[in-house]
Amino acid sequence: MNKKVRVQDLGHRDYKETWDYQEALFKDIVDLKVKNRREGTEVDTPNHFLFVEHPHVYTLGKSGDIGNLLVDEQVLKAKGATFYKINRGGDITYHGPGQVVGYPILDLDNFFTDIHKYLRFLEEMVILTLAEYGLKAERSEGETGVWLDVGTPFARKICAMGVRASRWVTMHGFALNVNADLGYFDLMIPCGIKDKAVTSLNVELGKKEVDMEEVKQRLLHHFQILFEAELRQEKTGT
């Protein structure tokens, strides 16, 4: 089992361009697994973890309801936003500046073959990171992602998640609001869940801005421990 994970920070990157890059990495891993099985070889499959910050964009999962996007294409264009229907699970999600977006592209055969456990580990990574900022974040039963004040009228989501997996290879991932413009969430029903608020780390801490790089390093620290991974970091973005 290869527990080495190549970590790339893509910086500010277009959503479609990043999605295509994910798909290429995902395909390479799946193709290698198929080849290993067909030829009886045991060539190590690679693992990747991408960080990225997207321009304003709304994405709809394969089982999502387009009705959860509350505006038309003209309004999106006026707001400088784009829209894509994509191949992950979950409903509608917003990505934009001030979010730490992470896409782990892992061969779970290198770690554990359990998608439920995989999602819980991603949530735990975020929960442990937010605890370092003095926030008590939690899971909300039946709702993937990370929340604050669960079970109260003040429940609010701070991190959305949606993944795709095939042959135990993952793609897509999580979006943690760090310095996000929360006004963009008003144009949709986040993840199709009505009457639940959305928040951002800077808002919770009463700060104008939180250091994004610090957040990324804290996330990676907890990821490394939870997945017992060996990280190899590089920066490729701007």
Side-chain angles (χ1 to χ4, degrees):
M1 293 194 297
N2 175 31
K3 289 181 175 280
K4 295 184 178 72
V5 180
R6 179 191 181 200
V7 180
Q8 296 178 76
D9 190 334
L10 304 180
H12 294 78
R13 191 72 65 94
D14 174 75
Y15 185 84
K16 182 63 165 61
E17 182 184 344
T18 309
W19 184 15
D20 289 345
Y21 184 48
Q22 278 196 81
E23 290 279 11
L25 296 175
F26 178 89
K27 183 178 184 300
D28 285 347
I29 299 172
V30 170
D31 287 350
L32 181 53
K33 294 187 77 168
V34 170
K35 185 181 180 195
N36 277 340
R37 178 167 294 187
R38 185 176 64 241
E39 299 181 2
T41 52
E42 295 183 3
V43 179
D44 283 347
T45 50
N47 306 289
H48 305 270
F49 191 122
L50 309 179
F51 276 126
V52 67
E53 196 173 353
H54 292 305
H56 302 294
V57 61
Y58 296 85
T59 69
L60 185 70
K62 57 189 176 183
S63 58
D65 180 359
I66 188 61
N68 289 324
L69 180 63
L70 302 177
V71 295
D72 60 23
E73 193 174 331
Q74 283 185 318
V75 174
L76 288 183
K77 190 173 182 180
K79 296 284 284 185
T82 54
F83 171 81
Y84 293 99
K85 190 162 186 178
I86 63 173
N87 58 353
R88 60 160 170 79
D91 207 284
I92 196 162
T93 300
Y94 160 78
H95 296 312
Q99 264 187 353
V100 169
V101 177
Y103 297 131
I105 305 169
L106 310 178
D107 180 0
L108 291 183
D109 271 319
N110 289 324
F111 301 93
F112 47 78
T113 49
D114 185 330
I115 293 296
H116 179 80
K117 181 178 177 179
Y118 172 66
L119 285 167
R120 302 295 80 79
F121 270 23
L122 290 186
E123 290 168 346
E124 189 67 13
M125 171 188 71
V126 175
I127 288 168
L128 291 171
T129 296
L130 294 175
E132 294 189 61
Y133 290 92
L135 298 180
K136 186 178 184 295
E138 304 172 84
R139 298 173 181 85
S140 180
E141 188 174 350
E143 298 170 333
T144 300
V146 178
W147 301 71
L148 303 174
D149 288 336
V150 171
T152 78
F154 309 105
R156 54 209 183 277
K157 193 171 196 174
I158 194 166
C159 182
M161 292 187 181
V163 304
R164 175 193 174 200
S166 177
R167 295 183 183 267
W168 297 114
V169 181
T170 67
M171 65 179 290
H172 299 298
F174 67 92
L176 173 61
N177 299 330
V178 178
N179 302 308
D181 181 345
L182 299 179
Y184 278 82
F185 287 92
D186 295 338
L187 306 185
M188 66 175 191
I189 300 172
C191 301
I193 302 169
K194 295 180 180 179
D195 305 320
K196 292 281 181 75
V198 177
T199 191
S200 187
L201 182 56
N202 66 325
V203 172
E204 296 298 324
L205 299 181
K207 293 184 175 182
K208 183 178 179 181
E209 194 169 290
V210 176
D211 187 333
M212 300 267 283
E213 292 306 314
E214 180 183 78
V215 173
K216 291 174 190 175
Q217 291 308 311
R218 290 181 171 184
L219 287 166
L220 285 176
H221 170 72
H222 294 299
F223 174 87
Q224 182 173 23
I225 293 171
L226 288 163
F227 286 83
E228 300 177 345
E230 180 184 335
L231 305 183
R232 297 184 172 184
Q233 293 192 56
E234 57 187 74
K235 183 157 186 170
T236 58
T238 57

